[in-house]
Amino acid sequence: MMDHRRPRRRGQGELEALVLSALREADGPATAGWVQERLGGGLAYTTVITILTRLLDKGAVTRERAGRSFAWTPASDEAGLAARKMRKVLDAESDRVAVLASFVTGLDPDDERLLRELLGHAGDAEDG
């Protein structure tokens, strides 16, 4: 008996992560065609453009004119992108104190210690 199930659909976030990963592997700005080829061609060119445009709207990539199309570059590394997502979530909440307090109390002791060190260094930089 043959299996006629459709291949699993990837979620939007998964596709965005794949496109960002491909861009990070590029030696410089990359075209949508290069990204499509790098991902194995399983995505339509228009899908790659749509994902890149959504990433641009989110501030995750930048683009520059390259002939008749665009060349795309990640706006930051993975840590910077994660930090941007965290700020976006925090900015969407009305009670920032409660969100931050809940976040900090949920950290494991090593992460809490690291956060305290980072905040201490940030305070030192502002003072000097």
Short mmCIF file of all heavy atoms in Angstrom, two decimals, residues 28-98:
data_model
loop_
_atom_site.label_atom_id
_atom_site.label_comp_id
_atom_site.label_asym_id
_atom_site.label_seq_id
_atom_site.Cartn_x
_atom_site.Cartn_y
_atom_site.Cartn_z
N GLY A 28 28.42 37.63 2.16
CA GLY A 28 28.01 39.03 2.12
C GLY A 28 26.53 39.07 1.80
O GLY A 28 25.83 38.07 1.96
N PRO A 29 26.04 40.22 1.34
CA PRO A 29 24.63 40.29 0.94
C PRO A 29 24.30 39.23 -0.09
O PRO A 29 25.10 38.94 -0.98
CB PRO A 29 24.50 41.71 0.36
CG PRO A 29 25.61 42.47 1.02
CD PRO A 29 26.74 41.50 1.18
N ALA A 30 23.12 38.62 0.03
CA ALA A 30 22.71 37.52 -0.85
C ALA A 30 21.36 37.81 -1.48
O ALA A 30 20.50 38.43 -0.87
CB ALA A 30 22.64 36.21 -0.07
N THR A 31 21.21 37.35 -2.70
CA THR A 31 19.94 37.54 -3.40
C THR A 31 18.95 36.45 -2.97
O THR A 31 19.33 35.42 -2.41
CB THR A 31 20.14 37.44 -4.93
OG1 THR A 31 20.58 36.11 -5.23
CG2 THR A 31 21.13 38.47 -5.43
N ALA A 32 17.69 36.70 -3.26
CA ALA A 32 16.65 35.70 -2.95
C ALA A 32 16.91 34.41 -3.72
O ALA A 32 16.68 33.32 -3.21
CB ALA A 32 15.27 36.26 -3.29
N GLY A 33 17.40 34.53 -4.95
CA GLY A 33 17.72 33.35 -5.74
C GLY A 33 18.82 32.51 -5.08
O GLY A 33 18.75 31.28 -5.07
N TRP A 34 19.82 33.19 -4.53
CA TRP A 34 20.89 32.47 -3.83
C TRP A 34 20.33 31.74 -2.61
O TRP A 34 20.66 30.59 -2.35
CB TRP A 34 21.99 33.45 -3.41
CG TRP A 34 23.16 32.78 -2.75
CD1 TRP A 34 24.27 32.31 -3.37
CD2 TRP A 34 23.31 32.50 -1.35
NE1 TRP A 34 25.12 31.76 -2.43
CE2 TRP A 34 24.55 31.86 -1.18
CE3 TRP A 34 22.52 32.72 -0.22
CZ2 TRP A 34 25.02 31.44 0.05
CZ3 TRP A 34 23.00 32.31 1.01
CH2 TRP A 34 24.22 31.67 1.13
N VAL A 35 19.45 32.43 -1.86
CA VAL A 35 18.83 31.82 -0.67
C VAL A 35 18.02 30.60 -1.10
O VAL A 35 18.12 29.53 -0.49
CB VAL A 35 17.95 32.83 0.09
CG1 VAL A 35 17.15 32.14 1.19
CG2 VAL A 35 18.80 33.96 0.67
N GLN A 36 17.22 30.75 -2.14
CA GLN A 36 16.41 29.64 -2.63
C GLN A 36 17.29 28.45 -3.00
O GLN A 36 17.01 27.31 -2.62
CB GLN A 36 15.59 30.08 -3.84
CG GLN A 36 14.72 28.98 -4.41
CD GLN A 36 14.12 29.35 -5.75
OE1 GLN A 36 14.67 30.17 -6.48
NE2 GLN A 36 12.98 28.74 -6.07
N GLU A 37 18.37 28.71 -3.71
CA GLU A 37 19.28 27.65 -4.11
C GLU A 37 19.95 27.01 -2.89
O GLU A 37 20.08 25.79 -2.80
CB GLU A 37 20.35 28.24 -5.04
CG GLU A 37 21.27 27.22 -5.64
CD GLU A 37 22.26 27.88 -6.59
OE1 GLU A 37 21.80 28.53 -7.56
OE2 GLU A 37 23.47 27.76 -6.35
N ARG A 38 20.33 27.83 -1.94
CA ARG A 38 20.99 27.34 -0.72
C ARG A 38 20.07 26.42 0.07
O ARG A 38 20.53 25.47 0.70
CB ARG A 38 21.42 28.53 0.14
CG ARG A 38 22.23 28.19 1.33
CD ARG A 38 23.60 27.80 0.88
NE ARG A 38 24.41 27.56 2.06
CZ ARG A 38 25.67 27.27 1.99
NH1 ARG A 38 26.27 27.19 0.83
NH2 ARG A 38 26.35 27.06 3.08
N LEU A 39 18.78 26.70 0.03
CA LEU A 39 17.81 25.89 0.78
C LEU A 39 17.38 24.65 -0.01
O LEU A 39 16.51 23.91 0.43
CB LEU A 39 16.59 26.73 1.14
CG LEU A 39 16.86 27.88 2.12
CD1 LEU A 39 15.60 28.69 2.36
CD2 LEU A 39 17.44 27.37 3.43
N GLY A 40 17.97 24.44 -1.15
CA GLY A 40 17.71 23.22 -1.91
C GLY A 40 16.63 23.35 -2.95
O GLY A 40 16.25 22.36 -3.57
N GLY A 41 16.09 24.54 -3.16
CA GLY A 41 15.12 24.73 -4.22
C GLY A 41 13.73 24.21 -3.91
O GLY A 41 12.86 24.25 -4.77
N GLY A 42 13.50 23.69 -2.71
CA GLY A 42 12.18 23.17 -2.37
C GLY A 42 11.14 24.27 -2.17
O GLY A 42 9.95 24.00 -2.17
N LEU A 43 11.59 25.50 -2.03
CA LEU A 43 10.68 26.63 -1.86
C LEU A 43 10.59 27.41 -3.17
O LEU A 43 11.60 27.59 -3.85
CB LEU A 43 11.19 27.58 -0.77
CG LEU A 43 11.23 27.07 0.65
CD1 LEU A 43 11.84 28.12 1.56
CD2 LEU A 43 9.84 26.71 1.13
N ALA A 44 9.41 27.89 -3.47
CA ALA A 44 9.24 28.73 -4.65
C ALA A 44 9.96 30.06 -4.42
O ALA A 44 10.05 30.55 -3.28
CB ALA A 44 7.76 28.98 -4.91
N TYR A 45 10.44 30.66 -5.49
CA TYR A 45 11.12 31.95 -5.41
C TYR A 45 10.23 32.98 -4.74
O TYR A 45 10.68 33.75 -3.90
CB TYR A 45 11.53 32.40 -6.82
CG TYR A 45 12.23 33.72 -6.85
CD1 TYR A 45 13.59 33.81 -6.56
CD2 TYR A 45 11.55 34.89 -7.17
CE1 TYR A 45 14.25 35.03 -6.59
CE2 TYR A 45 12.19 36.12 -7.20
CZ TYR A 45 13.55 36.18 -6.91
OH TYR A 45 14.19 37.38 -6.92
N THR A 46 8.95 32.99 -5.10
CA THR A 46 8.02 33.96 -4.51
C THR A 46 7.86 33.75 -3.01
O THR A 46 7.68 34.70 -2.27
CB THR A 46 6.64 33.89 -5.20
OG1 THR A 46 6.16 32.54 -5.15
CG2 THR A 46 6.73 34.37 -6.64
N THR A 47 7.95 32.50 -2.56
CA THR A 47 7.88 32.22 -1.13
C THR A 47 9.09 32.79 -0.41
O THR A 47 8.96 33.40 0.66
CB THR A 47 7.78 30.69 -0.88
OG1 THR A 47 6.62 30.20 -1.54
CG2 THR A 47 7.71 30.37 0.60
N VAL A 48 10.27 32.63 -1.02
CA VAL A 48 11.49 33.18 -0.43
C VAL A 48 11.38 34.70 -0.34
O VAL A 48 11.71 35.29 0.70
CB VAL A 48 12.74 32.75 -1.23
CG1 VAL A 48 13.99 33.44 -0.70
CG2 VAL A 48 12.91 31.23 -1.18
N ILE A 49 10.89 35.34 -1.39
CA ILE A 49 10.71 36.80 -1.38
C ILE A 49 9.73 37.21 -0.27
O ILE A 49 9.97 38.17 0.45
CB ILE A 49 10.20 37.31 -2.75
CG1 ILE A 49 11.29 37.17 -3.80
CG2 ILE A 49 9.69 38.74 -2.67
CD1 ILE A 49 12.46 38.12 -3.61
N THR A 50 8.64 36.48 -0.14
CA THR A 50 7.65 36.79 0.90
C THR A 50 8.28 36.69 2.29
O THR A 50 8.09 37.57 3.14
CB THR A 50 6.45 35.84 0.80
OG1 THR A 50 5.81 36.03 -0.47
CG2 THR A 50 5.44 36.08 1.91
N ILE A 51 9.06 35.64 2.53
CA ILE A 51 9.70 35.46 3.83
C ILE A 51 10.70 36.58 4.08
O ILE A 51 10.75 37.16 5.17
CB ILE A 51 10.37 34.07 3.91
CG1 ILE A 51 9.30 32.98 3.89
CG2 ILE A 51 11.23 33.95 5.17
CD1 ILE A 51 9.84 31.60 3.63
N LEU A 52 11.51 36.90 3.08
CA LEU A 52 12.49 37.99 3.24
C LEU A 52 11.80 39.32 3.52
O LEU A 52 12.26 40.10 4.36
CB LEU A 52 13.37 38.09 1.99
CG LEU A 52 14.41 36.98 1.83
CD1 LEU A 52 14.98 36.97 0.42
CD2 LEU A 52 15.52 37.14 2.87
N THR A 53 10.69 39.58 2.85
CA THR A 53 9.95 40.82 3.07
C THR A 53 9.38 40.87 4.49
O THR A 53 9.42 41.92 5.14
CB THR A 53 8.83 40.98 2.02
OG1 THR A 53 9.43 40.95 0.71
CG2 THR A 53 8.07 42.27 2.20
N ARG A 54 8.87 39.75 4.97
CA ARG A 54 8.37 39.70 6.35
C ARG A 54 9.50 39.92 7.35
O ARG A 54 9.34 40.62 8.35
CB ARG A 54 7.68 38.37 6.62
CG ARG A 54 6.34 38.26 5.94
CD ARG A 54 5.66 36.95 6.24
NE ARG A 54 4.40 36.88 5.53
CZ ARG A 54 3.77 35.76 5.27
NH1 ARG A 54 4.26 34.60 5.66
NH2 ARG A 54 2.61 35.78 4.63
N LEU A 55 10.66 39.33 7.07
CA LEU A 55 11.82 39.53 7.94
C LEU A 55 12.28 40.99 7.91
O LEU A 55 12.69 41.54 8.94
CB LEU A 55 12.96 38.60 7.53
CG LEU A 55 12.74 37.12 7.84
CD1 LEU A 55 13.79 36.26 7.16
CD2 LEU A 55 12.74 36.87 9.35
N LEU A 56 12.17 41.63 6.75
CA LEU A 56 12.51 43.05 6.64
C LEU A 56 11.55 43.88 7.50
O LEU A 56 11.98 44.78 8.23
CB LEU A 56 12.44 43.50 5.17
CG LEU A 56 12.76 44.95 4.89
CD1 LEU A 56 14.23 45.25 5.17
CD2 LEU A 56 12.42 45.30 3.45
N ASP A 57 10.26 43.58 7.42
CA ASP A 57 9.26 44.30 8.22
C ASP A 57 9.51 44.14 9.72
O ASP A 57 9.20 45.03 10.51
CB ASP A 57 7.84 43.81 7.88
CG ASP A 57 7.40 44.20 6.47
OD1 ASP A 57 8.03 45.10 5.86
OD2 ASP A 57 6.43 43.59 5.97
N LYS A 58 10.07 42.99 10.11
CA LYS A 58 10.36 42.72 11.52
C LYS A 58 11.71 43.29 11.95
O LYS A 58 12.08 43.20 13.12
CB LYS A 58 10.36 41.21 11.77
CG LYS A 58 9.00 40.57 11.61
CD LYS A 58 9.10 39.07 11.81
CE LYS A 58 7.74 38.41 11.65
NZ LYS A 58 7.81 36.95 11.88
N GLY A 59 12.46 43.84 11.01
CA GLY A 59 13.77 44.38 11.32
C GLY A 59 14.86 43.32 11.44
O GLY A 59 15.95 43.61 11.93
N ALA A 60 14.59 42.11 10.99
CA ALA A 60 15.56 41.01 11.11
C ALA A 60 16.57 40.98 9.98
O ALA A 60 17.62 40.37 10.11
CB ALA A 60 14.83 39.68 11.20
N VAL A 61 16.24 41.63 8.84
CA VAL A 61 17.16 41.70 7.70
C VAL A 61 17.15 43.13 7.16
O VAL A 61 16.23 43.91 7.43
CB VAL A 61 16.79 40.71 6.57
CG1 VAL A 61 16.85 39.27 7.03
CG2 VAL A 61 15.43 41.03 5.96
N THR A 62 18.19 43.43 6.39
CA THR A 62 18.23 44.67 5.63
C THR A 62 18.38 44.29 4.17
O THR A 62 18.72 43.14 3.86
CB THR A 62 19.41 45.56 6.07
OG1 THR A 62 20.63 44.85 5.85
CG2 THR A 62 19.29 45.94 7.54
N ARG A 63 18.14 45.25 3.29
CA ARG A 63 18.32 44.97 1.88
C ARG A 63 18.93 46.18 1.19
O ARG A 63 18.78 47.31 1.65
CB ARG A 63 17.01 44.56 1.21
CG ARG A 63 16.01 45.68 1.08
CD ARG A 63 14.74 45.22 0.41
NE ARG A 63 13.83 46.36 0.27
CZ ARG A 63 12.59 46.27 -0.15
NH1 ARG A 63 12.09 45.09 -0.46
NH2 ARG A 63 11.84 47.34 -0.25
N GLU A 64 19.61 45.89 0.10
CA GLU A 64 20.18 46.95 -0.73
C GLU A 64 19.93 46.58 -2.18
O GLU A 64 19.84 45.41 -2.53
CB GLU A 64 21.67 47.12 -0.45
CG GLU A 64 22.49 45.87 -0.70
CD GLU A 64 23.93 46.00 -0.22
OE1 GLU A 64 24.13 46.38 0.93
OE2 GLU A 64 24.82 45.69 -1.03
N ARG A 65 19.80 47.59 -3.00
CA ARG A 65 19.53 47.38 -4.41
C ARG A 65 20.73 46.67 -5.04
O ARG A 65 21.87 47.01 -4.79
CB ARG A 65 19.29 48.73 -5.07
CG ARG A 65 18.85 48.73 -6.50
CD ARG A 65 17.62 47.99 -6.79
NE ARG A 65 16.36 48.65 -6.53
CZ ARG A 65 15.21 48.08 -6.82
NH1 ARG A 65 15.17 46.88 -7.35
NH2 ARG A 65 14.09 48.69 -6.56
N ALA A 66 20.45 45.64 -5.82
CA ALA A 66 21.48 44.90 -6.55
C ALA A 66 20.96 44.67 -7.96
O ALA A 66 20.25 43.69 -8.22
CB ALA A 66 21.79 43.57 -5.87
N GLY A 67 21.24 45.61 -8.85
CA GLY A 67 20.68 45.52 -10.20
C GLY A 67 19.19 45.76 -10.17
O GLY A 67 18.72 46.74 -9.60
N ARG A 68 18.45 44.81 -10.70
CA ARG A 68 16.99 44.94 -10.74
C ARG A 68 16.31 44.30 -9.53
O ARG A 68 15.10 44.35 -9.41
CB ARG A 68 16.46 44.31 -12.02
CG ARG A 68 16.87 45.12 -13.24
CD ARG A 68 16.45 44.49 -14.53
NE ARG A 68 15.06 44.09 -14.54
CZ ARG A 68 14.54 43.25 -15.41
NH1 ARG A 68 15.28 42.72 -16.35
NH2 ARG A 68 13.26 42.93 -15.36
N SER A 69 17.09 43.68 -8.65
CA SER A 69 16.49 43.07 -7.46
C SER A 69 17.19 43.60 -6.22
O SER A 69 17.75 44.69 -6.24
CB SER A 69 16.55 41.54 -7.56
OG SER A 69 17.82 41.06 -7.24
N PHE A 70 17.16 42.83 -5.14
CA PHE A 70 17.77 43.23 -3.89
C PHE A 70 18.74 42.17 -3.40
O PHE A 70 18.58 40.98 -3.69
CB PHE A 70 16.70 43.43 -2.80
CG PHE A 70 15.81 44.62 -3.04
CD1 PHE A 70 14.54 44.45 -3.58
CD2 PHE A 70 16.24 45.89 -2.73
CE1 PHE A 70 13.71 45.54 -3.80
CE2 PHE A 70 15.43 46.99 -2.94
CZ PHE A 70 14.16 46.82 -3.48
N ALA A 71 19.71 42.61 -2.62
CA ALA A 71 20.59 41.71 -1.88
C ALA A 71 20.25 41.89 -0.42
O ALA A 71 20.06 43.01 0.06
CB ALA A 71 22.05 42.03 -2.16
N TRP A 72 20.16 40.79 0.31
CA TRP A 72 19.66 40.77 1.68
C TRP A 72 20.78 40.41 2.65
O TRP A 72 21.64 39.58 2.33
CB TRP A 72 18.52 39.76 1.80
CG TRP A 72 17.42 40.00 0.81
CD1 TRP A 72 17.40 39.63 -0.50
CD2 TRP A 72 16.19 40.66 1.04
NE1 TRP A 72 16.23 40.02 -1.09
CE2 TRP A 72 15.46 40.65 -0.17
CE3 TRP A 72 15.62 41.25 2.16
CZ2 TRP A 72 14.21 41.22 -0.29
CZ3 TRP A 72 14.35 41.81 2.04
CH2 TRP A 72 13.66 41.80 0.83
N THR A 73 20.73 40.99 3.86
CA THR A 73 21.73 40.75 4.89
C THR A 73 21.00 40.64 6.23
O THR A 73 20.09 41.42 6.51
CB THR A 73 22.72 41.93 4.97
OG1 THR A 73 23.26 42.17 3.67
CG2 THR A 73 23.84 41.66 5.94
N PRO A 74 21.42 39.70 7.09
CA PRO A 74 20.83 39.66 8.44
C PRO A 74 21.15 40.96 9.18
O PRO A 74 22.26 41.48 9.07
CB PRO A 74 21.51 38.47 9.12
CG PRO A 74 22.27 37.75 8.06
CD PRO A 74 22.42 38.66 6.90
N ALA A 75 20.18 41.49 9.92
CA ALA A 75 20.39 42.73 10.65
C ALA A 75 21.23 42.51 11.90
O ALA A 75 21.85 43.44 12.40
CB ALA A 75 19.04 43.35 11.02
N SER A 76 21.25 41.29 12.42
CA SER A 76 22.04 40.99 13.60
C SER A 76 22.30 39.49 13.66
O SER A 76 21.75 38.72 12.87
CB SER A 76 21.32 41.45 14.87
OG SER A 76 20.10 40.75 15.03
N ASP A 77 23.11 39.09 14.62
CA ASP A 77 23.37 37.67 14.81
C ASP A 77 22.19 37.03 15.54
O ASP A 77 21.20 37.69 15.85
CB ASP A 77 24.68 37.45 15.55
CG ASP A 77 24.70 38.08 16.94
OD1 ASP A 77 23.64 38.54 17.42
OD2 ASP A 77 25.79 38.13 17.53
N GLU A 78 22.29 35.74 15.81
CA GLU A 78 21.18 35.02 16.46
C GLU A 78 20.86 35.58 17.84
O GLU A 78 19.70 35.69 18.22
CB GLU A 78 21.49 33.53 16.54
CG GLU A 78 21.47 32.86 15.18
CD GLU A 78 21.68 31.37 15.27
OE1 GLU A 78 20.99 30.72 16.06
OE2 GLU A 78 22.54 30.86 14.52
N ALA A 79 21.89 35.95 18.59
CA ALA A 79 21.67 36.52 19.92
C ALA A 79 20.92 37.84 19.82
O ALA A 79 20.00 38.11 20.60
CB ALA A 79 22.99 36.70 20.66
N GLY A 80 21.30 38.66 18.85
CA GLY A 80 20.62 39.95 18.66
C GLY A 80 19.17 39.76 18.26
O GLY A 80 18.29 40.50 18.70
N LEU A 81 18.91 38.77 17.41
CA LEU A 81 17.54 38.50 17.00
C LEU A 81 16.70 38.01 18.17
O LEU A 81 15.56 38.44 18.35
CB LEU A 81 17.53 37.47 15.87
CG LEU A 81 16.18 37.19 15.23
CD1 LEU A 81 15.56 38.45 14.65
CD2 LEU A 81 16.32 36.14 14.14
N ALA A 82 17.27 37.14 18.99
CA ALA A 82 16.54 36.65 20.17
C ALA A 82 16.25 37.81 21.12
O ALA A 82 15.14 37.91 21.67
CB ALA A 82 17.35 35.56 20.87
N ALA A 83 17.22 38.69 21.30
CA ALA A 83 17.02 39.85 22.19
C ALA A 83 15.92 40.75 21.65
O ALA A 83 15.08 41.26 22.40
CB ALA A 83 18.32 40.63 22.34
N ARG A 84 15.89 40.93 20.32
CA ARG A 84 14.84 41.75 19.70
C ARG A 84 13.46 41.14 19.95
O ARG A 84 12.50 41.84 20.26
CB ARG A 84 15.10 41.86 18.21
CG ARG A 84 14.11 42.71 17.48
CD ARG A 84 14.45 42.75 16.01
NE ARG A 84 15.87 43.02 15.89
CZ ARG A 84 16.40 43.92 15.08
NH1 ARG A 84 15.64 44.60 14.29
NH2 ARG A 84 17.69 44.12 15.03
N LYS A 85 13.35 39.80 19.84
CA LYS A 85 12.08 39.13 20.10
C LYS A 85 11.66 39.33 21.56
O LYS A 85 10.48 39.56 21.84
CB LYS A 85 12.20 37.64 19.80
CG LYS A 85 12.29 37.30 18.33
CD LYS A 85 12.46 35.80 18.14
CE LYS A 85 12.66 35.43 16.71
NZ LYS A 85 12.89 33.98 16.55
N MET A 86 12.63 39.22 22.47
CA MET A 86 12.32 39.40 23.89
C MET A 86 11.81 40.82 24.16
O MET A 86 10.85 41.01 24.90
CB MET A 86 13.54 39.07 24.74
CG MET A 86 13.91 37.59 24.70
SD MET A 86 15.55 37.23 25.36
CE MET A 86 15.33 37.61 27.08
N ARG A 87 12.46 41.82 23.55
CA ARG A 87 12.02 43.21 23.73
C ARG A 87 10.62 43.41 23.16
O ARG A 87 9.79 44.12 23.74
CB ARG A 87 13.00 44.17 23.08
CG ARG A 87 14.24 44.43 23.90
CD ARG A 87 15.05 45.59 23.36
NE ARG A 87 15.47 45.39 21.98
CZ ARG A 87 16.57 44.74 21.60
NH1 ARG A 87 17.36 44.22 22.50
NH2 ARG A 87 16.86 44.63 20.32
N LYS A 88 10.36 42.78 22.03
CA LYS A 88 9.04 42.92 21.40
C LYS A 88 7.95 42.36 22.32
O LYS A 88 6.89 42.97 22.48
CB LYS A 88 9.03 42.20 20.05
CG LYS A 88 7.76 42.41 19.26
CD LYS A 88 7.86 41.78 17.89
CE LYS A 88 6.59 41.97 17.11
NZ LYS A 88 6.65 41.38 15.78
N VAL A 89 8.20 41.21 22.92
CA VAL A 89 7.24 40.62 23.85
C VAL A 89 7.06 41.54 25.06
O VAL A 89 5.93 41.82 25.48
CB VAL A 89 7.70 39.21 24.30
CG1 VAL A 89 6.87 38.71 25.47
CG2 VAL A 89 7.60 38.24 23.13
N LEU A 90 8.15 42.03 25.60
CA LEU A 90 8.09 42.92 26.75
C LEU A 90 7.33 44.21 26.41
O LEU A 90 6.48 44.67 27.20
CB LEU A 90 9.50 43.25 27.25
CG LEU A 90 9.61 44.12 28.48
CD1 LEU A 90 8.93 43.45 29.67
CD2 LEU A 90 11.07 44.40 28.79
N ASP A 91 7.60 44.78 25.25
CA ASP A 91 6.92 46.01 24.85
C ASP A 91 5.42 45.82 24.64
O ASP A 91 4.65 46.77 24.75
CB ASP A 91 7.54 46.56 23.56
CG ASP A 91 8.94 47.11 23.78
OD1 ASP A 91 9.33 47.34 24.93
OD2 ASP A 91 9.65 47.31 22.76
N ALA A 92 4.99 44.59 24.35
CA ALA A 92 3.56 44.33 24.11
C ALA A 92 2.77 44.19 25.40
O ALA A 92 1.54 44.20 25.36
CB ALA A 92 3.41 43.06 23.27
N GLU A 93 3.45 44.08 26.51
CA GLU A 93 2.76 43.88 27.79
C GLU A 93 2.57 45.20 28.52
O GLU A 93 3.44 46.07 28.48
CB GLU A 93 3.55 42.91 28.67
CG GLU A 93 3.65 41.52 28.09
CD GLU A 93 2.31 40.85 27.93
OE1 GLU A 93 1.42 41.04 28.78
OE2 GLU A 93 2.13 40.13 26.93
N SER A 94 1.46 45.34 29.23
CA SER A 94 1.19 46.59 29.94
C SER A 94 1.92 46.67 31.28
O SER A 94 2.27 47.74 31.74
CB SER A 94 -0.31 46.76 30.15
OG SER A 94 -0.82 45.68 30.90
N ASP A 95 2.17 45.53 31.92
CA ASP A 95 2.83 45.52 33.23
C ASP A 95 4.25 44.97 33.08
O ASP A 95 4.52 43.80 33.32
CB ASP A 95 2.01 44.66 34.20
CG ASP A 95 2.49 44.81 35.64
OD1 ASP A 95 3.58 45.39 35.86
OD2 ASP A 95 1.77 44.34 36.54
N ARG A 96 5.15 45.86 32.69
CA ARG A 96 6.55 45.46 32.45
C ARG A 96 7.19 44.91 33.72
O ARG A 96 7.98 43.96 33.65
CB ARG A 96 7.36 46.64 31.93
CG ARG A 96 6.93 47.12 30.57
CD ARG A 96 7.67 48.38 30.15
NE ARG A 96 9.04 48.12 29.75
CZ ARG A 96 9.41 47.83 28.52
NH1 ARG A 96 8.51 47.76 27.56
NH2 ARG A 96 10.68 47.63 28.23
N VAL A 97 6.89 45.49 34.86
CA VAL A 97 7.48 45.04 36.12
C VAL A 97 7.10 43.59 36.39
O VAL A 97 7.96 42.77 36.73
CB VAL A 97 7.05 45.95 37.30
CG1 VAL A 97 7.50 45.38 38.63
CG2 VAL A 97 7.59 47.36 37.11
N ALA A 98 5.83 43.26 36.21
CA ALA A 98 5.38 41.89 36.46
C ALA A 98 6.04 40.91 35.48
O ALA A 98 6.45 39.81 35.88
CB ALA A 98 3.85 41.80 36.35
#
